[in-house]
Amino acid sequence: MEANQKYLLEIHKKINNNIEELRSYAEENAVPIVDRLSLEMIKQLIRIHKATNILEIGTAIGYSSMHFASISPTINVTTIERDDNMINQAKLNFKNYGYNNQITLLEGDAFEQLEKVNNKTYDIIFIDAAKAQSKKFFEYFTPFLRKGGLVITDNVLYHGFVSDIDIVRSRNVKQMVKKVQKFNTWLIDQENYQTNFLNMDDGLAISIKGE
Ligand code: SAH
Ligand code: MG
């Protein structure tokens, strides 16, 4: 690991909260939770933006959504997950860590939850589900994002493959990486959004919706 990154990870460890114990579980069980420094960046954006309504696509075990909710009791997170095993673990975690009142879990495919999210406008949408579908998630869910709100998309550099697709052997992965490339260039061209890509961890895109 690069020395600066290692150093920053070390100093962030000292300001831990108890949700962090789920990181080692996720790593052991290959659950793709958001990387540590990216998480700290997103939490800082939530604070700067004074976000109170957050929509997340891709809950997994609830690690990121609980971290977001932990910033302030005024924050509400709506999060969507389709995998039954993940749903069950997320439910247990929300209960055990005491987040049932702040987090609403929508069970099922994200594209089938539109009528359950359209009763609210969100300050931030965090896209962190199937990587080949990020564009579709963006198109389906940003109508519920307030003007001036943020879309944060994770894994836009996907394992370093997005900038160097020739190293990818698997046909399926290659197809997925091509979709991520397409999404990134499409995203930067969106006239109503200002997008900034961060070369941090697995790559993070931060897009601000115009007025
Ligand atoms: N945000 C989590 C990690 C999510 S991993 C964290 O950082 O802690 C991505 C998750 O998205 C997986 O659990 C996967 O089952 C889910 N997912 C992928 N495509 C989906 C879809 N179309 N609808 C709902 N969930 C989806
Ligand atoms: Mg991710």
Side-chain angles (χ1 to χ4, degrees):
M1 194 189 299
E2 200 248 327
N4 287 339
Q5 190 187 8
K6 198 173 165 208
Y7 166 74
L8 292 176
L9 280 170
E10 283 300 317
I11 57 173
H12 272 295
K13 267 196 187 125
K14 295 179 184 140
I15 46 168
N16 258 347
N17 74 32
N18 61 347
I19 302 160
E20 217 30 47
E21 63 204 30
L22 289 176
R23 174 164 292 279
S24 41
Y25 171 85
E27 280 163 9
E28 280 156 27
N29 294 276
V31 180
I33 61 171
V34 64
D35 289 313
R36 192 62 215 280
L37 296 179
S38 298
L39 174 74
E40 296 300 341
M41 179 74 222
I42 299 167
K43 288 175 78 172
Q44 198 72 320
L45 288 168
I46 293 170
R47 296 184 194 103
I48 293 168
H49 210 62
K50 296 182 171 55
T52 53
N53 284 316
I54 301 170
L55 174 65
E56 173 183 73
I57 326 287
T59 315
I61 59 173
Y63 170 85
S64 53
S65 50
M66 291 195 293
H67 257 296
F68 301 161
S70 76
I71 294 171
S72 157
T74 62
I75 292 176
N76 290 301
V77 183
T78 299
T79 182
I80 313 177
E81 177 56 56
R82 68 177 174 192
D83 181 274
D84 286 334
N85 177 30
M86 291 295 139
I87 289 169
N88 290 333
Q89 293 192 57
K91 277 184 179 165
L92 262 177
N93 287 330
F94 295 156
K95 183 167 169 273
N96 291 342
Y97 288 87
Y99 284 102
N100 273 338
N101 54 342
Q102 276 179 270
I103 301 177
T104 305
L105 175 63
L106 302 180
E107 303 174 26
D109 192 275
F111 300 113
E112 283 155 29
Q113 310 303 315
L114 287 174
E115 70 287 352
K116 290 188 189 138
V117 302
N118 70 7
N119 57 339
K120 257 191 199 169
T121 42
Y122 298 89
D123 303 302
I124 295 183
I125 300 178
F126 179 46
I127 300 179
D128 191 24
K131 303 308 158 196
Q133 311 230 67
S134 290
K135 178 169 177 251
K136 205 170 158 197
F137 294 131
F138 192 104
E139 291 174 319
Y140 274 67
F141 290 100
T142 50
F144 313 118
L145 180 67
R146 74 163 168 85
K147 287 174 182 168
L150 310 180
V151 182
I152 302 172
T153 312
D154 194 22
N155 312 101
V156 292
L157 297 175
Y158 199 75
H159 300 350
F161 298 158
V162 177
S163 60
D164 190 10
I165 196 165
D166 293 340
I167 65 176
V168 180
R169 290 279 146 260
S170 148
R171 258 193 72 148
N172 288 341
V173 177
K174 218 172 193 126
Q175 256 174 6
M176 188 269 277
V177 170
K178 275 187 187 156
K179 286 196 174 151
V180 177
Q181 290 177 331
K182 271 197 179 154
F183 170 71
N184 291 342
T185 48
W186 172 85
L187 185 59
I188 204 124
D189 282 343
Q190 290 311 294
E191 299 226 315
N192 198 27
Y193 286 85
Q194 285 288 339
T195 293
N196 166 237
F197 291 94
L198 290 185
N199 181 12
M200 174 195 274
D201 297 330
D202 210 29
L204 212 57
I206 301 158
S207 311
I208 309 173
K209 189 176 187 171
E211 296 297 323

